[in-house]
Amino acid sequence: MSMDLTFLGTGSAYPSPHRGASALVLRTEGECWLFDCGEGTQIQLMKSQLKAGKITKIFISHLHGDHLFGLPGLLCTVSLNCSPTQPPPCVDVYGPVGLRHFLRVALELSGSQLLFPYAVHELEPTADQCPPEGVLSPKVTQSSDSLHPQERPGRTICLDPESECYSLFEEKQFAVKAFRLCHRIPSFGFCVQEHDRPGRLNSQLLRELGVRPGPLYGQLKNGETITLENGRVVKPSEALEPDIPGRKVCILGDCSSLLGEGGQRACRGADVLVHEATLSDGHRERAVEHGHSTPSMAAAVARSWGVGRLVLYHFSQRYRPASLQKETQEEDDVLELQRQAEDALTGTGTDVVLAEDFLTMTIPLKRPQHGPGSGENVC
């Protein structure tokens, strides 16, 4: 199965001519999942090779406008461009408490009708995720019992005290969890874990045993034991190569630190960690004061989790993309952010990438785990 990440917006605070507001898409075969939806995301989608109508799940890390303001408009645009006879399935939206009320009011006040159903699943934050002034009053976040015409009832998801994570859902191919981050208002990170898949059939062995391609192959692939006409019992463990390890992608919202052990437990060994680096290490005090991180702070998380690749994003608009910087270096050098993270990760083998708008990054399959040192990415 193919899997890739496309960054639609890599800037902080507001969209600019050089960087869109926060938004990125995780694409697998058949559907797209959108993480954050800053103002202008629908325009960025139109400029990309992605199709908005393929979006089936949306994850909002926190309720600051540069991660949220594009959501009502995006849903309306998807509706306007979808076929009335074949509308999209229900779009599931995940995010902090208050998201349901925001979206319902925005759609109701604008008289917006959608051609597809949607459901908002809210994460219940804990009081220690942000300063006291960042805790939203229930009067602000609480929504009425009256659903929008296209809205379906959503869940309220509480923190599991044992794992220190929020279990959002688990399906045939993926399990998705959220975990707590520290920011000026409640913020969350997301871990997308692909399930391990059965290895390939050992066709040479099966031929030697006289098993021909057909239904018996399918039974073995599904983990079933088969019995041949001569009475020989063949177990899946004999006929299958080692399982193909699932890929893991972790995407963090705005944060100056993590809260609890949930993130580390969920994201350890991730193939890709997407982490904000709003300001350089030289502005660390200012970054932390505003609930943000620097490259070395992001690198410390990557080192602790043992990730394969660290992708920095959510840059201050003072940092133009490397491709647009002038040779005179009159502005702040975004490449310095990469160097700072790389210096902090010396000796780890972790790659560091600077995200730019419309960067698409393939997440390759892994090799089956045969023993120590296995699990390398397939180029």
Side-chain angles (χ1 to χ4, degrees):
M1 177 197 297
S2 63
M3 181 187 293
D4 57 48
L5 277 171
T6 296
F7 291 83
L8 297 175
T10 57
S12 65
Y14 55 86
S16 76
H18 312 298
R19 293 190 189 276
S22 293
L24 63 97
V25 170
L26 176 65
R27 179 173 57 174
T28 60
E29 293 179 1
E31 58 183 305
C32 297
W33 295 354
L34 175 66
F35 290 81
D36 283 333
C37 190
E39 182 182 354
T41 295
Q42 57 182 314
I43 297 176
Q44 298 291 87
L45 269 168
M46 294 174 190
K47 292 179 180 179
S48 74
Q49 299 299 314
L50 303 172
K51 295 182 179 179
K54 293 288 187 180
I55 295 174
T56 56
K57 291 180 174 59
I58 299 172
F59 304 85
I60 302 298
S61 64
H62 63 294
L63 301 183
H64 276 154
D66 57 332
H67 297 254
L68 177 66
F69 283 164
L71 182 56
L74 174 68
L75 293 178
C76 292
T77 298
V78 171
S79 181
L80 288 171
N81 287 280
C82 71
S83 169
T85 58
Q86 292 183 323
C90 182
V91 174
D92 289 301
V93 184
Y94 298 86
V97 167
L99 180 58
R100 184 179 296 136
H101 182 55
F102 167 82
L103 192 53
R104 189 179 294 173
V105 169
L107 294 176
E108 288 179 349
L109 287 179
S110 60
S112 300
Q113 298 293 315
L114 307 177
L115 292 178
F116 55 87
Y118 77 92
V120 179
H121 310 286
E122 293 188 326
L123 283 63
E124 189 73 52
T126 58
D128 50 354
Q129 276 185 254
C130 63
E133 60 270 20
V135 178
L136 297 176
S137 166
K139 293 181 180 180
V140 176
T141 60
Q142 189 172 6
S143 55
S144 66
D145 295 330
S146 177
L147 300 177
H148 182 270
Q150 283 75 51
E151 185 181 358
R152 301 294 179 265
R155 296 181 295 139
T156 297
I157 307 172
C158 296
L159 180 72
D160 174 23
E162 184 173 347
S163 67
E164 293 194 75
C165 284
Y166 300 78
S167 295
L168 305 190
F169 62 89
E170 184 167 1
E171 53 187 28
K172 183 178 180 180
Q173 295 175 327
F174 297 98
V176 180
K177 296 181 178 181
F179 47 91
R180 297 173 296 164
L181 306 174
C182 292
H183 187 49
R184 288 183 291 129
I185 63 174
S187 183
F188 296 90
F190 301 97
C191 174
V192 179
Q193 172 68 70
E194 181 184 34
H195 295 311
D196 294 349
R197 289 181 294 164
R200 293 179 298 179
L201 287 169
N202 187 335
S203 55
Q204 181 179 346
L205 172 64
L206 294 175
R207 281 195 300 268
E208 293 173 356
L209 294 175
V211 183
R212 296 181 178 181
L216 293 180
Y217 273 41
Q219 288 178 244
L220 288 168
K221 192 74 172 177
N222 290 330
E224 301 175 24
T225 298
I226 64 172
T227 302
L228 305 183
E229 293 181 358
N230 61 7
R232 171 73 155 86
V233 175
V234 182
K235 298 180 180 180
S237 57
E238 298 177 74
L240 290 173
E241 294 181 358
D243 287 350
I244 300 172
R247 291 160 286 189
K248 185 186 295 186
V249 179
C250 298
I251 301 167
L252 275 60
D254 291 3
C255 62
S256 57
S257 64
L258 284 85
L259 190 62
E261 300 296 325
Q264 182 158 356
R265 291 171 183 168
C267 297
R268 183 176 295 279
D271 297 89
V272 177
L273 167 63
V274 181
H275 196 298
E276 68 128 301
T278 306
L279 294 168
S280 72
D281 287 345
H283 299 283
R284 180 183 178 119
E285 185 175 341
R286 180 182 173 192
V288 173
E289 180 184 355
H290 290 85
H292 291 295
S293 295
T294 69
S296 64
M297 293 168 67
V301 176
R303 177 185 285 271
S304 175
W305 292 355
V307 306
R309 176 173 293 178
L310 170 63
V311 186
L312 303 178
Y313 83 131
H314 195 268
F315 306 114
S316 166
Q317 297 291 358
R318 68 196 295 167
Y319 303 105
R320 289 194 178 195
S323 58
L324 297 178
Q325 287 193 168
K326 301 176 183 178
E327 294 183 1
T328 56
Q329 292 294 334
E330 294 176 354
E331 63 277 319
D332 293 283
D333 185 5
V334 70
L335 294 176
E336 179 60 24
L337 304 184
Q338 183 176 21
R339 288 190 287 267
Q340 291 171 359
E342 288 175 338
D343 288 345
L345 287 167
T346 299
T348 64
T350 300
D351 294 328
V352 179
V353 176
L354 293 178
E356 293 191 10
D357 290 11
F358 308 114
L359 167 69
T360 295
M361 177 184 301
T362 300
I363 305 170
L365 288 168
K366 296 179 177 179
R367 294 190 180 100
Q369 293 180 339
H370 293 279
S374 62
E376 297 178 64
N377 286 345
V378 177
C379 297

